[in-house]
Each structure stands twice: as C-alpha cells, then as structure tokens.
Amino acid sequence: MDKFNIAIDGPAGAGKSTIARLVAGALGFVYVDTGAMYRAVTWKVQQEGLSPDQESEVIALANRMRIELVPTAEGQQVYVDGVDVTKAIRTIAITDHVSQIASIGAIRELLVAMQKQMAVSKGIVMDGRDIGTHVIPDAELKIFLTASVSERAERRFKEMQSSGTCTMTLEELAQDIARRDQLDQNREISPLRRADDAILMDSTSMTINEVVDEILGLCKSKVGGGK
Ligand code: CDP
Ligand code: CDP
C-alpha cells in the first residue's frame, strides 16, 4: 500500500509527540511536531523583546522568520533563522505564552499553510491540536489522544524530574495544563476538538507501547499496513 497520512491531536501531555514519533519510526514515515512551530514563533517573539499582545509586530516578525524542521532519529530538530532552538523552545517561559501566540489568526494561517505543504507528499505522522480538523482533514487515519489532567501532569512531572528541569510542583503543572486546555479548547480559530471521524483513545491507563501497538493495528486494518 502507498504512503498515507496520520493526524494525532489532543491536549498537552497526552503522549502525542512520543507516540507520533514511534509510529512514524515503525512505518518509516516522517514525524512532524506542529506545536514546535508555534513554540518557535514564541521564542522569536521573546528574542526580539516583543509582547504577545503586540499582534501586528508579532505577525510581521512571524512572516519574516524562517522555521526549519529537520527529522532526526530522536524526533525533530527545530531551527529559527539558522539557529538550533530545539531545546530552547521547551522552557517554561515559552510554554507560558505559546497558547496566546497560537490564538492569533494570521499566525495560524501562516503555519497551517506550511504544514499542509509538508503533508502533500504523504507518509507524514503529524501531531498538534487542529491536524485532523483543519490541517489534514483528509488524513487516512485520525487519532484523538487524551488522558486525565492528573495523569498528564504526573507524566510531565516525571519527565521534568528525570531531565533535572523540574521548577514546578505537581499541582502547579496540573494548573498550567488545565489553563492551556482551556485556552486551546475555547479559542475562536481552530480550537482543540476531536474531528468527527477521529478515533478517540484515552491513554490514562495505557503504556506508550500499548498506544503505539493499537495505532499500528489501526493502520493495518484501516489502510493496509503502510508499506
Ligand atoms: O507538548 P505540549 O503538548 O505541551 O504542547 P505543544 O504540542 O508543543 O503545543 C504548544 C501549544 O501550541 C499548544 O498548547 C497550543 O496552544 C499550540 N498549538 C496549536 O494551537 N496548534 C497546533 N497544531 C499545535 C500546537
Ligand atoms: O506531546 P504531548 O504533550 O501530548 O505528550 P508527550 O510529550 O509525548 O508525553 C508526555 C510524557 O508522558 C512523556 O514523558 C511520555 O514519555 C509520557 N507518556 C507516558 O508515560 N505514557 C503514555 N501512554 C504516553 C506518554
């Protein structure tokens, strides 16, 4: 069977990037983390000393900057105007402002156009918030991956503890995740929601391997295995 596209959407900490990367690896597909693109714009806005409220300046800056995504064995490297920002875009300072930047319509239009272009060649596993509803509405397989807020906060907490970057308590992390869920679900343009034809997977009590195996099983039954 020819290459096809997989859209994985869901809230923060549901496991989208981990699972999308592993599924792409198993199928020999390319993984695209669209959240990293919104984070890259947020990084550049901060570098230039702009506030997310300065919308027209933010939009002009986003139109001038160059974002490159380079697929690697570990996932994806992100460059802004030639600077490797892969790590820098994961800091709390970026996480705190990214949803505000992502609610600006002109920024979404710009990034969505780039994402649609990436999906044209097929063989893409793309994760985000609006992939199945807006970016690749014709994706052959759509997954809406979720988990309870407490489980998602716990996962993020463990992740930060093991990388030695834990500056928040578990409660603060849960509040931050709930705040971002709220912003992402209630924004006017392309809010986070399950596409009508997306398969809902609640991963609260599932391991990473269980989720990956289930998605690979769906690939086989829905589109014939991918290769
Ligand atoms: O990794 P995490 O789930 O924390 O977030 P992310 O996927 O890196 O996305 C960061 C933020 O970008 C989200 O909270 C959304 O506000 C925004 N985003 C979006 O609006 N649309 C997308 N397709 C991807 C991310
Ligand atoms: O991309 P998203 O924000 O949806 O989540 P992620 O960054 O892929 O996953 C957040 C954390 O949860 C990572 O440390 C994963 O290893 C972990 N995880 C887990 O423990 N069990 C799962 N079923 C999925 C993810």
Side-chain angles (χ1 to χ4, degrees):
M1 154 111 201
D2 291 339
K3 287 184 189 168
F4 55 92
N5 286 333
I6 305 177
I8 304 184
D9 290 301
K16 300 180 300 298
S17 16
T18 310
I19 273 111
R21 181 171 48 79
L22 292 169
V23 168
L27 295 172
F29 285 10
V30 173
Y31 161 54
V32 179
D33 168 6
T34 61
M37 299 170 77
Y38 292 92
R39 287 175 178 273
V41 174
T42 310
W43 178 85
K44 188 73 180 178
V45 165
Q46 292 190 354
Q47 287 289 303
E48 297 290 312
L50 290 177
S51 148
D53 295 328
Q54 293 171 275
E55 278 200 17
S56 46
E57 287 90 343
V58 167
I59 293 165
L61 179 63
N63 276 287
R64 281 199 307 275
M65 67 187 272
R66 187 164 44 92
I67 302 175
E68 284 165 282
L69 303 182
V70 180
T72 64
E74 296 78 40
Q76 170 189 275
Q77 263 175 324
V78 186
Y79 292 85
V80 170
D81 296 329
V83 178
D84 184 350
V85 297
T86 313
K87 283 216 173 85
I89 60 171
R90 301 286 155 199
T91 60
I92 289 168
I94 302 294
T95 304
D96 275 350
H97 295 106
V98 61
S99 294
Q100 190 180 347
I101 295 288
S103 68
I104 302 173
I107 301 283
R108 300 202 70 81
E109 271 173 35
L110 182 74
L111 299 188
V112 166
M114 290 167 66
Q115 292 154 10
K116 280 181 182 285
Q117 195 55 42
M118 291 174 201
V120 168
S121 52
K122 302 261 181 181
I124 298 287
V125 185
M126 193 177 274
D127 88 296
R129 303 293 189 285
D130 58 344
I131 310 306
T133 51
H134 200 59
V135 180
I136 2 177
D138 60 348
E140 284 79 357
L141 180 62
K142 297 183 191 178
I143 306 290
F144 193 87
L145 189 61
T146 187
S148 68
V149 172
S150 57
E151 173 64 21
R152 290 187 279 128
E154 192 101 32
R155 288 177 186 172
R156 272 286 145 86
F157 191 62
K158 281 193 195 139
E159 188 180 65
M160 289 168 122
Q161 275 184 321
S162 63
S163 64
T165 56
C166 200
T167 53
M168 291 166 103
T169 64
L170 184 57
E171 290 69 34
E172 283 169 338
L173 259 174
Q175 277 169 15
D176 176 69
I177 282 181
R179 178 187 67 85
R180 239 164 3 113
D181 285 357
Q182 187 70 14
L183 282 171
D184 292 344
Q185 284 160 4
N186 294 303
R187 69 170 171 240
E188 261 174 51
I189 309 151
S190 312
L192 168 66
R193 70 166 181 84
R194 182 171 79 87
D196 294 338
D197 53 350
I199 295 161
L200 177 66
M201 287 181 71
D202 184 339
S203 74
T204 307
S205 327
M206 291 173 84
T207 65
I208 292 169
N209 283 342
E210 283 169 344
V211 179
V212 170
D213 286 349
E214 194 162 325
I215 294 178
L216 291 176
L218 287 167
C219 290
K220 283 207 187 88
S221 60
K222 241 184 124 83
V223 276
K227 284 193 177 168

